């Protein structure tokens, strides 16, 4: 029987719809297969980030610090401290630029006539600041109760100005905080090498943190040069090392600078952690 025209048109439209639906289903299936295939592809093999080289271990001679001081320091720090001892880290010569005591220029500047690391300040202060910041950062990460103090100006003529390292240290020390000032010694033959110059006998008893730093860096006499201004006010002066090659070369080289500063700071922080433990 011949179907009416309107029914033939409807059947034709239905066929087109079914065919279209089939094509759409097939396309979705192919897409899903492609997605699954892409999902199982091997991940790209990127090289792992390069880990920093380990810091040199203490030795004699020391590959990081160079020679220790040979000045005869016979003191021993025995007084115990609390595990959450407040520690304040200062940069030596941070307030004495342009005065009679601005710090060491370093061998590179003084003998090789190279430009200073930062115009307007001695290289010693530049590196004192770098190590100060790294010590505080690492110390806080390892749970020490540690902070930095930085004077508001790099040149303060009056030593007794309340904002100088000396004035602040006296206040901090009198309330039981441990004050450590970072220094670099002059190059040979003017410098003596690494070591701790401790506070004077009338300030406080030497404690186990003093002893730990002395074991890690060396010990200067308690009355070194008759008693320095910092130790008279409660500051332990830590001479990190003499500012000369090979250490100074590593510090000045942008490729090794950060690693070297971090290794120096690690030595300090290891000693502080050992002391409060």
């Amino acid at each position: 029987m011949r179907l009416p025209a309107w029914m033939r048109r409807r059947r034709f439209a239905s066929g087109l719809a079914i065919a279209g639906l089939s094509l759409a289903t097939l396309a979705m299936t192919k897409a899903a297969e492609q997605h699954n295939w892409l999902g199982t592809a091997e991940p790209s093999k990127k090289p792992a980030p390069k880990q920093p080289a380990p810091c040199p271990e203490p030795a004699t001679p020391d590959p990081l610090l160079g020679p220790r001081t040979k000045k005869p320091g016979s003191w021993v720090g025995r007084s115990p401290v609390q595990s959450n001892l407040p520690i304040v880290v200062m940069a030596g010569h941070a307030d004495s630029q342009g005065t009679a005591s601005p710090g060491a220029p370093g061998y590179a500047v003084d003998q090789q006539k190279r430009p200073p690391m930062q115009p307007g300040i001695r290289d010693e202060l530049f590196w004192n600041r770098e190590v100060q910041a790294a010590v505080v950062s690492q110390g806080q990460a390892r749970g020490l109760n540690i902070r930095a103090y930085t004077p508001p100006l790099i040149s303060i003529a009056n030593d007794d100005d309340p904002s100088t390292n000396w004035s602040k240290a006296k206040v901090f020390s009198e309330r039981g905080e441990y004050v450590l000032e970072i220094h670099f010694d002059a190059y040979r033959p003017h410098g003596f090498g690494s070591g701790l110059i401790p506070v004077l006998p009338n300030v406080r008893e030497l404690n186990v943190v003093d002893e730990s730093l002395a074991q890690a860096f060396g010990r200067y006499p308690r009355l070194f040069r008759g008693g320095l201004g910092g130790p008279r006010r409660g500051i332990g002066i830590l001479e990190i090392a003499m500012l000369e090659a090979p250490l100074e070369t590593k510090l000045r080289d942008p490729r090794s600078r950060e690693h070297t500063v971090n290794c120096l700071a690690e030595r300090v922080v290891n000693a502080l952690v050992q002391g409060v433990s």
Side-chain angles (χ1 to χ4, degrees):
M1 179 181 66
R2 184 178 178 82
L3 294 174
W6 67 271
M7 290 186 67
R8 291 199 302 273
R9 289 194 299 270
R10 184 172 181 180
R11 178 175 290 183
F12 178 74
S14 299
L16 286 176
I18 292 171
L21 182 60
S22 299
L23 289 172
T25 303
L26 180 61
M28 292 174 62
T29 302
K30 291 293 185 182
E33 290 174 355
Q34 186 180 24
H35 175 75
N36 290 336
W37 178 79
L38 290 172
T40 57
E42 288 291 326
S44 60
K45 295 181 179 179
K46 294 182 179 179
K50 187 177 180 180
Q51 296 298 317
C55 294
E57 293 292 331
T60 304
D62 196 292
L64 179 64
L65 306 179
R68 291 188 176 198
T69 180
K70 294 181 180 179
K71 294 291 181 180
S74 58
W75 53 269
V76 178
R78 295 190 176 92
S79 181
V81 299
Q82 59 194 29
S83 60
N84 65 337
L85 174 71
I87 301 169
V88 184
V89 184
M90 297 177 169
H93 307 286
D95 48 28
S96 62
Q97 299 305 292
T99 71
S101 180
Y107 186 88
V109 171
D110 205 31
Q111 295 296 317
Q112 297 177 328
K113 307 307 177 184
R114 297 180 64 183
M117 294 300 301
Q118 180 178 328
I121 68 172
R122 288 290 181 95
D123 270 19
E124 182 186 350
L125 174 56
F126 182 89
W127 299 119
N128 290 346
R129 286 173 167 176
E130 293 290 307
V131 175
Q132 174 198 30
V135 166
V136 172
S137 177
Q138 290 187 29
Q140 290 175 347
R142 294 180 62 179
L144 291 174
N145 182 11
I146 190 170
R147 71 183 194 280
Y149 174 73
T150 300
L153 300 171
I154 64 171
S155 183
I156 303 175
N158 180 11
D159 293 337
D160 295 322
D161 183 290
S163 63
T164 62
N165 276 3
W166 281 5
S167 295
K168 287 293 185 182
K170 191 172 187 300
V171 173
F172 297 153
S173 181
E174 287 176 349
R175 66 190 190 198
E177 300 183 63
Y178 187 89
V179 185
L180 184 68
E181 194 172 74
I182 302 297
H183 284 257
F184 280 81
D185 202 6
Y187 57 86
R188 285 175 280 192
H190 311 289
F192 300 102
S194 68
L196 180 70
I197 306 171
V199 300
L200 297 190
N202 63 322
V203 176
R204 62 165 171 81
E205 294 182 356
L206 297 184
N207 59 42
V208 291
V209 177
D210 298 312
E211 181 63 23
S212 184
L213 286 165
Q215 290 181 14
F217 289 86
R219 67 188 81 221
Y220 277 79
R222 203 167 187 184
L223 292 174
F224 178 65
R225 289 178 173 166
L228 300 177
R232 292 180 185 277
R233 294 165 173 82
I235 296 175
I237 294 178
L238 182 61
E239 297 284 5
I240 296 288
M242 289 184 284
L243 203 48
E244 63 181 24
L247 176 59
E248 187 184 28
T249 305
K250 294 176 183 176
L251 287 170
R252 280 182 153 259
D253 187 340
R255 296 168 297 179
S256 55
R257 179 176 305 158
E258 182 179 3
H259 182 252
T260 304
V261 167
N262 284 334
C263 286
L264 293 173
E266 183 178 290
R267 286 282 186 98
V268 180
V269 172
N270 285 345
L272 294 174
V273 170
Q274 179 67 30
V276 299
S277 300

PDB file of all heavy atoms in Angstrom, residues 242-267:
ATOM      1  N   MET A 242      88.584  34.772  58.424  1.00  0.00           N
ATOM      2  CA  MET A 242      89.282  35.903  57.826  1.00  0.00           C
ATOM      3  C   MET A 242      88.727  36.157  56.427  1.00  0.00           C
ATOM      4  O   MET A 242      88.404  35.214  55.693  1.00  0.00           O
ATOM      5  CB  MET A 242      90.788  35.627  57.764  1.00  0.00           C
ATOM      6  CG  MET A 242      91.442  35.659  59.132  1.00  0.00           C
ATOM      7  SD  MET A 242      93.248  35.446  59.088  1.00  0.00           S
ATOM      8  CE  MET A 242      93.359  33.686  58.779  1.00  0.00           C
ATOM      9  N   LEU A 243      88.615  37.438  56.081  1.00  0.00           N
ATOM     10  CA  LEU A 243      88.016  37.821  54.796  1.00  0.00           C
ATOM     11  C   LEU A 243      89.091  37.796  53.713  1.00  0.00           C
ATOM     12  O   LEU A 243      89.633  38.823  53.298  1.00  0.00           O
ATOM     13  CB  LEU A 243      87.366  39.197  54.922  1.00  0.00           C
ATOM     14  CG  LEU A 243      86.254  39.536  53.926  1.00  0.00           C
ATOM     15  CD1 LEU A 243      85.229  38.420  53.811  1.00  0.00           C
ATOM     16  CD2 LEU A 243      85.572  40.825  54.328  1.00  0.00           C
ATOM     17  N   GLU A 244      89.399  36.586  53.254  1.00  0.00           N
ATOM     18  CA  GLU A 244      90.436  36.348  52.259  1.00  0.00           C
ATOM     19  C   GLU A 244      90.092  35.064  51.506  1.00  0.00           C
ATOM     20  O   GLU A 244      89.168  34.327  51.882  1.00  0.00           O
ATOM     21  CB  GLU A 244      91.804  36.208  52.942  1.00  0.00           C
ATOM     22  CG  GLU A 244      91.878  35.008  53.887  1.00  0.00           C
ATOM     23  CD  GLU A 244      93.219  34.862  54.588  1.00  0.00           C
ATOM     24  OE1 GLU A 244      93.939  35.862  54.721  1.00  0.00           O
ATOM     25  OE2 GLU A 244      93.530  33.731  55.015  1.00  0.00           O
ATOM     26  N   ALA A 245      90.838  34.795  50.433  1.00  0.00           N
ATOM     27  CA  ALA A 245      90.649  33.553  49.680  1.00  0.00           C
ATOM     28  C   ALA A 245      91.067  32.356  50.553  1.00  0.00           C
ATOM     29  O   ALA A 245      91.924  32.490  51.421  1.00  0.00           O
ATOM     30  CB  ALA A 245      91.478  33.599  48.401  1.00  0.00           C
ATOM     31  N   PRO A 246      90.442  31.180  50.357  1.00  0.00           N
ATOM     32  CA  PRO A 246      89.442  30.894  49.321  1.00  0.00           C
ATOM     33  C   PRO A 246      88.008  31.259  49.703  1.00  0.00           C
ATOM     34  O   PRO A 246      87.148  31.289  48.849  1.00  0.00           O
ATOM     35  CB  PRO A 246      89.586  29.386  49.131  1.00  0.00           C
ATOM     36  CG  PRO A 246      89.981  28.893  50.485  1.00  0.00           C
ATOM     37  CD  PRO A 246      90.880  29.951  51.059  1.00  0.00           C
ATOM     38  N   LEU A 247      87.767  31.546  50.995  1.00  0.00           N
ATOM     39  CA  LEU A 247      86.399  31.835  51.399  1.00  0.00           C
ATOM     40  C   LEU A 247      85.860  33.083  50.713  1.00  0.00           C
ATOM     41  O   LEU A 247      84.735  33.087  50.181  1.00  0.00           O
ATOM     42  CB  LEU A 247      86.320  32.001  52.921  1.00  0.00           C
ATOM     43  CG  LEU A 247      84.953  32.414  53.478  1.00  0.00           C
ATOM     44  CD1 LEU A 247      83.881  31.399  53.114  1.00  0.00           C
ATOM     45  CD2 LEU A 247      85.011  32.620  54.977  1.00  0.00           C
ATOM     46  N   GLU A 248      86.622  34.158  50.717  1.00  0.00           N
ATOM     47  CA  GLU A 248      86.146  35.396  50.113  1.00  0.00           C
ATOM     48  C   GLU A 248      85.859  35.206  48.627  1.00  0.00           C
ATOM     49  O   GLU A 248      84.893  35.776  48.093  1.00  0.00           O
ATOM     50  CB  GLU A 248      87.161  36.521  50.319  1.00  0.00           C
ATOM     51  CG  GLU A 248      86.646  37.875  49.851  1.00  0.00           C
ATOM     52  CD  GLU A 248      87.684  38.975  49.974  1.00  0.00           C
ATOM     53  OE1 GLU A 248      88.886  38.670  49.911  1.00  0.00           O
ATOM     54  OE2 GLU A 248      87.284  40.149  50.115  1.00  0.00           O
ATOM     55  N   THR A 249      86.648  34.400  47.948  1.00  0.00           N
ATOM     56  CA  THR A 249      86.420  34.128  46.531  1.00  0.00           C
ATOM     57  C   THR A 249      85.074  33.450  46.327  1.00  0.00           C
ATOM     58  O   THR A 249      84.314  33.795  45.407  1.00  0.00           O
ATOM     59  CB  THR A 249      87.548  33.238  45.972  1.00  0.00           C
ATOM     60  OG1 THR A 249      88.808  33.863  46.221  1.00  0.00           O
ATOM     61  CG2 THR A 249      87.377  33.019  44.482  1.00  0.00           C
ATOM     62  N   LYS A 250      84.740  32.493  47.176  1.00  0.00           N
ATOM     63  CA  LYS A 250      83.451  31.797  47.077  1.00  0.00           C
ATOM     64  C   LYS A 250      82.297  32.732  47.397  1.00  0.00           C
ATOM     65  O   LYS A 250      81.225  32.642  46.788  1.00  0.00           O
ATOM     66  CB  LYS A 250      83.432  30.600  48.023  1.00  0.00           C
ATOM     67  CG  LYS A 250      84.418  29.504  47.662  1.00  0.00           C
ATOM     68  CD  LYS A 250      84.401  28.404  48.709  1.00  0.00           C
ATOM     69  CE  LYS A 250      85.431  27.336  48.402  1.00  0.00           C
ATOM     70  NZ  LYS A 250      85.492  26.303  49.469  1.00  0.00           N
ATOM     71  N   LEU A 251      82.501  33.622  48.342  1.00  0.00           N
ATOM     72  CA  LEU A 251      81.454  34.579  48.688  1.00  0.00           C
ATOM     73  C   LEU A 251      81.191  35.553  47.542  1.00  0.00           C
ATOM     74  O   LEU A 251      80.045  35.891  47.247  1.00  0.00           O
ATOM     75  CB  LEU A 251      81.850  35.354  49.947  1.00  0.00           C
ATOM     76  CG  LEU A 251      81.787  34.588  51.271  1.00  0.00           C
ATOM     77  CD1 LEU A 251      82.439  35.407  52.380  1.00  0.00           C
ATOM     78  CD2 LEU A 251      80.353  34.238  51.644  1.00  0.00           C
ATOM     79  N   ARG A 252      82.242  35.999  46.879  1.00  0.00           N
ATOM     80  CA  ARG A 252      82.083  36.991  45.807  1.00  0.00           C
ATOM     81  C   ARG A 252      81.569  36.380  44.503  1.00  0.00           C
ATOM     82  O   ARG A 252      81.019  37.097  43.668  1.00  0.00           O
ATOM     83  CB  ARG A 252      83.413  37.709  45.561  1.00  0.00           C
ATOM     84  CG  ARG A 252      83.690  38.814  46.582  1.00  0.00           C
ATOM     85  CD  ARG A 252      84.996  39.546  46.307  1.00  0.00           C
ATOM     86  NE  ARG A 252      84.901  40.907  46.851  1.00  0.00           N
ATOM     87  CZ  ARG A 252      84.666  41.988  46.153  1.00  0.00           C
ATOM     88  NH1 ARG A 252      84.490  41.900  44.844  1.00  0.00           N
ATOM     89  NH2 ARG A 252      84.589  43.178  46.722  1.00  0.00           N
ATOM     90  N   ASP A 253      81.750  35.103  44.321  1.00  0.00           N
ATOM     91  CA  ASP A 253      81.310  34.441  43.092  1.00  0.00           C
ATOM     92  C   ASP A 253      79.793  34.228  43.156  1.00  0.00           C
ATOM     93  O   ASP A 253      79.311  33.510  44.027  1.00  0.00           O
ATOM     94  CB  ASP A 253      82.023  33.093  42.948  1.00  0.00           C
ATOM     95  CG  ASP A 253      81.751  32.430  41.606  1.00  0.00           C
ATOM     96  OD1 ASP A 253      80.750  32.773  40.938  1.00  0.00           O
ATOM     97  OD2 ASP A 253      82.540  31.550  41.217  1.00  0.00           O
ATOM     98  N   PRO A 254      79.015  34.841  42.248  1.00  0.00           N
ATOM     99  CA  PRO A 254      77.548  34.682  42.298  1.00  0.00           C
ATOM    100  C   PRO A 254      77.097  33.225  42.218  1.00  0.00           C
ATOM    101  O   PRO A 254      76.031  32.884  42.722  1.00  0.00           O
ATOM    102  CB  PRO A 254      77.064  35.479  41.079  1.00  0.00           C
ATOM    103  CG  PRO A 254      78.162  36.447  40.788  1.00  0.00           C
ATOM    104  CD  PRO A 254      79.435  35.743  41.163  1.00  0.00           C
ATOM    105  N   ARG A 255      77.914  32.363  41.621  1.00  0.00           N
ATOM    106  CA  ARG A 255      77.528  30.960  41.476  1.00  0.00           C
ATOM    107  C   ARG A 255      77.630  30.191  42.792  1.00  0.00           C
ATOM    108  O   ARG A 255      76.941  29.181  42.969  1.00  0.00           O
ATOM    109  CB  ARG A 255      78.400  30.282  40.415  1.00  0.00           C
ATOM    110  CG  ARG A 255      78.240  30.848  39.008  1.00  0.00           C
ATOM    111  CD  ARG A 255      79.329  30.347  38.089  1.00  0.00           C
ATOM    112  NE  ARG A 255      80.654  30.788  38.538  1.00  0.00           N
ATOM    113  CZ  ARG A 255      81.791  30.470  37.924  1.00  0.00           C
ATOM    114  NH1 ARG A 255      81.759  29.713  36.830  1.00  0.00           N
ATOM    115  NH2 ARG A 255      82.945  30.928  38.389  1.00  0.00           N
ATOM    116  N   SER A 256      78.472  30.638  43.698  1.00  0.00           N
ATOM    117  CA  SER A 256      78.675  29.916  44.956  1.00  0.00           C
ATOM    118  C   SER A 256      78.298  30.741  46.184  1.00  0.00           C
ATOM    119  O   SER A 256      78.389  30.244  47.304  1.00  0.00           O
ATOM    120  CB  SER A 256      80.143  29.475  45.071  1.00  0.00           C
ATOM    121  OG  SER A 256      81.022  30.583  44.941  1.00  0.00           O
ATOM    122  N   ARG A 257      77.869  31.975  45.971  1.00  0.00           N
ATOM    123  CA  ARG A 257      77.622  32.891  47.093  1.00  0.00           C
ATOM    124  C   ARG A 257      76.558  32.381  48.057  1.00  0.00           C
ATOM    125  O   ARG A 257      76.784  32.271  49.269  1.00  0.00           O
ATOM    126  CB  ARG A 257      77.230  34.257  46.551  1.00  0.00           C
ATOM    127  CG  ARG A 257      76.925  35.302  47.632  1.00  0.00           C
ATOM    128  CD  ARG A 257      76.640  36.638  46.973  1.00  0.00           C
ATOM    129  NE  ARG A 257      77.769  36.997  46.116  1.00  0.00           N
ATOM    130  CZ  ARG A 257      77.684  37.843  45.098  1.00  0.00           C
ATOM    131  NH1 ARG A 257      76.522  38.406  44.790  1.00  0.00           N
ATOM    132  NH2 ARG A 257      78.741  38.138  44.390  1.00  0.00           N
ATOM    133  N   GLU A 258      75.386  32.076  47.536  1.00  0.00           N
ATOM    134  CA  GLU A 258      74.278  31.679  48.407  1.00  0.00           C
ATOM    135  C   GLU A 258      74.606  30.414  49.183  1.00  0.00           C
ATOM    136  O   GLU A 258      74.352  30.321  50.392  1.00  0.00           O
ATOM    137  CB  GLU A 258      73.011  31.479  47.576  1.00  0.00           C
ATOM    138  CG  GLU A 258      71.792  31.112  48.411  1.00  0.00           C
ATOM    139  CD  GLU A 258      70.531  30.944  47.568  1.00  0.00           C
ATOM    140  OE1 GLU A 258      70.628  31.053  46.317  1.00  0.00           O
ATOM    141  OE2 GLU A 258      69.468  30.693  48.144  1.00  0.00           O
ATOM    142  N   HIS A 259      75.192  29.440  48.499  1.00  0.00           N
ATOM    143  CA  HIS A 259      75.539  28.184  49.163  1.00  0.00           C
ATOM    144  C   HIS A 259      76.564  28.418  50.260  1.00  0.00           C
ATOM    145  O   HIS A 259      76.461  27.859  51.364  1.00  0.00           O
ATOM    146  CB  HIS A 259      76.073  27.191  48.134  1.00  0.00           C
ATOM    147  CG  HIS A 259      76.409  25.849  48.711  1.00  0.00           C
ATOM    148  ND1 HIS A 259      77.704  25.410  48.870  1.00  0.00           N
ATOM    149  CD2 HIS A 259      75.620  24.854  49.178  1.00  0.00           C
ATOM    150  CE1 HIS A 259      77.703  24.204  49.409  1.00  0.00           C
ATOM    151  NE2 HIS A 259      76.449  23.840  49.600  1.00  0.00           N
ATOM    152  N   THR A 260      77.551  29.261  49.996  1.00  0.00           N
ATOM    153  CA  THR A 260      78.597  29.524  50.987  1.00  0.00           C
ATOM    154  C   THR A 260      78.030  30.237  52.208  1.00  0.00           C
ATOM    155  O   THR A 260      78.336  29.875  53.356  1.00  0.00           O
ATOM    156  CB  THR A 260      79.730  30.353  50.355  1.00  0.00           C
ATOM    157  OG1 THR A 260      80.233  29.668  49.198  1.00  0.00           O
ATOM    158  CG2 THR A 260      80.863  30.564  51.340  1.00  0.00           C
ATOM    159  N   VAL A 261      77.204  31.250  51.984  1.00  0.00           N
ATOM    160  CA  VAL A 261      76.581  31.964  53.109  1.00  0.00           C
ATOM    161  C   VAL A 261      75.729  31.003  53.936  1.00  0.00           C
ATOM    162  O   VAL A 261      75.767  31.015  55.175  1.00  0.00           O
ATOM    163  CB  VAL A 261      75.740  33.146  52.601  1.00  0.00           C
ATOM    164  CG1 VAL A 261      74.845  33.704  53.712  1.00  0.00           C
ATOM    165  CG2 VAL A 261      76.636  34.254  52.055  1.00  0.00           C
ATOM    166  N   ASN A 262      74.962  30.156  53.267  1.00  0.00           N
ATOM    167  CA  ASN A 262      74.108  29.213  53.987  1.00  0.00           C
ATOM    168  C   ASN A 262      74.927  28.206  54.784  1.00  0.00           C
ATOM    169  O   ASN A 262      74.527  27.804  55.887  1.00  0.00           O
ATOM    170  CB  ASN A 262      73.176  28.493  53.015  1.00  0.00           C
ATOM    171  CG  ASN A 262      72.031  29.370  52.552  1.00  0.00           C
ATOM    172  OD1 ASN A 262      71.630  30.300  53.253  1.00  0.00           O
ATOM    173  ND2 ASN A 262      71.509  29.105  51.379  1.00  0.00           N
ATOM    174  N   CYS A 263      76.068  27.798  54.246  1.00  0.00           N
ATOM    175  CA  CYS A 263      76.916  26.865  54.978  1.00  0.00           C
ATOM    176  C   CYS A 263      77.536  27.528  56.209  1.00  0.00           C
ATOM    177  O   CYS A 263      77.642  26.901  57.273  1.00  0.00           O
ATOM    178  CB  CYS A 263      78.006  26.313  54.062  1.00  0.00           C
ATOM    179  SG  CYS A 263      77.399  25.110  52.855  1.00  0.00           S
ATOM    180  N   LEU A 264      77.943  28.785  56.083  1.00  0.00           N
ATOM    181  CA  LEU A 264      78.451  29.509  57.246  1.00  0.00           C
ATOM    182  C   LEU A 264      77.357  29.633  58.312  1.00  0.00           C
ATOM    183  O   LEU A 264      77.608  29.418  59.504  1.00  0.00           O
ATOM    184  CB  LEU A 264      78.941  30.890  56.825  1.00  0.00           C
ATOM    185  CG  LEU A 264      80.177  30.934  55.914  1.00  0.00           C
ATOM    186  CD1 LEU A 264      80.432  32.358  55.433  1.00  0.00           C
ATOM    187  CD2 LEU A 264      81.404  30.381  56.627  1.00  0.00           C
ATOM    188  N   ALA A 265      76.157  29.989  57.875  1.00  0.00           N
ATOM    189  CA  ALA A 265      75.044  30.117  58.819  1.00  0.00           C
ATOM    190  C   ALA A 265      74.712  28.778  59.465  1.00  0.00           C
ATOM    191  O   ALA A 265      74.381  28.715  60.662  1.00  0.00           O
ATOM    192  CB  ALA A 265      73.820  30.678  58.098  1.00  0.00           C
ATOM    193  N   GLU A 266      74.809  27.719  58.688  1.00  0.00           N
ATOM    194  CA  GLU A 266      74.518  26.386  59.231  1.00  0.00           C
ATOM    195  C   GLU A 266      75.472  26.037  60.363  1.00  0.00           C
ATOM    196  O   GLU A 266      75.067  25.446  61.371  1.00  0.00           O
ATOM    197  CB  GLU A 266      74.613  25.346  58.117  1.00  0.00           C
ATOM    198  CG  GLU A 266      74.248  23.935  58.556  1.00  0.00           C
ATOM    199  CD  GLU A 266      74.317  22.945  57.418  1.00  0.00           C
ATOM    200  OE1 GLU A 266      73.445  23.022  56.521  1.00  0.00           O
ATOM    201  OE2 GLU A 266      75.244  22.102  57.414  1.00  0.00           O
ATOM    202  N   ARG A 267      76.743  26.415  60.218  1.00  0.00           N
ATOM    203  CA  ARG A 267      77.711  26.165  61.298  1.00  0.00           C
ATOM    204  C   ARG A 267      77.278  26.885  62.584  1.00  0.00           C
ATOM    205  O   ARG A 267      77.354  26.332  63.681  1.00  0.00           O
ATOM    206  CB  ARG A 267      79.100  26.647  60.889  1.00  0.00           C
ATOM    207  CG  ARG A 267      79.817  25.799  59.886  1.00  0.00           C
ATOM    208  CD  ARG A 267      80.424  24.545  60.509  1.00  0.00           C
ATOM    209  NE  ARG A 267      81.222  23.858  59.512  1.00  0.00           N
ATOM    210  CZ  ARG A 267      82.545  23.965  59.409  1.00  0.00           C
ATOM    211  NH1 ARG A 267      83.205  24.721  60.268  1.00  0.00           N
ATOM    212  NH2 ARG A 267      83.196  23.324  58.471  1.00  0.00           N
TER     213      ARG A 267
END
